[in-house]
């Protein structure tokens, strides 16, 4: 059985690979603090929060939104819905 921490790490690495395929330079943050991933492409910075489970509560995105607004970056929420990966720009 895979621990929830391992499941989260695997999901973050999956999202990182997909962003790399799209041409981003991606940094994974240690212990997901303050966010999971930072992606940069053509001078644009994207802060990424990943949730490896279905229907994460809206409150789980507040840190992402606050930080993105403070530094003028884009925010990307990535989570699963009905077994599919959802990327949602905020």
């Amino acid at each position: 059985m895979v621990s929830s921490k391992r499941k989260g790490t695997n999901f973050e690495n999956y999202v990182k690979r997909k962003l790399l395929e799209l041409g981003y330079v991606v940094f994974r943050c240690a212990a997901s603090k303050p966010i999971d991933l930072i992606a940069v492409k053509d001078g644009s910075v994207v802060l990424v929060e990943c949730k490896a489970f279905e229907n994460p509560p809206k409150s789980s995105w507040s840190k992402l939104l606050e930080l993105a607004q403070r530094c003028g970056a884009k925010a990307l929420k990535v989570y699963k819905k009905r077994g599919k990966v959802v990327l949602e720009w905020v």
Side-chain angles (χ1 to χ4, degrees), residues 1 3 7 10 15 24-25 34 37 42-44 51 55-57 59-60 63-64 68 85:
M1 181 169 174
S3 71
K7 185 177 178 181
N10 289 345
V15 173
Y24 286 88
V25 175
L37 304 170
D42 300 328
S44 181
K51 299 294 181 195
N55 302 317
S59 61
S60 64
K63 180 174 51 173
L64 170 68
V85 176

Side-chain angles (χ1 to χ4, degrees), residues 18-86:
K18 293 301 177 184
L19 290 170
L20 288 169
E21 289 173 7
L22 293 172
Y24 286 88
V25 175
V26 183
F27 304 93
R28 188 169 171 272
C29 300
S32 297
K33 302 292 184 211
I35 49 153
D36 296 322
L37 304 170
I38 300 170
V40 181
K41 181 178 178 182
D42 300 328
S44 181
V45 177
V46 180
L47 305 182
V48 184
E49 185 69 22
C50 303
K51 299 294 181 195
F53 50 89
E54 299 266 342
N55 302 317
K58 293 188 185 304
S59 61
S60 64
W61 308 114
S62 60
K63 180 174 51 173
L64 170 68
L65 296 173
E66 178 186 336
L67 190 57
Q69 289 173 345
R70 284 181 41 209
C71 64
K74 295 178 184 176
L76 180 62
K77 304 187 306 187
V78 184
Y79 57 97
K80 291 186 177 181
K81 185 173 186 175
R82 296 184 192 107
K84 300 202 185 249
V85 176
V86 176

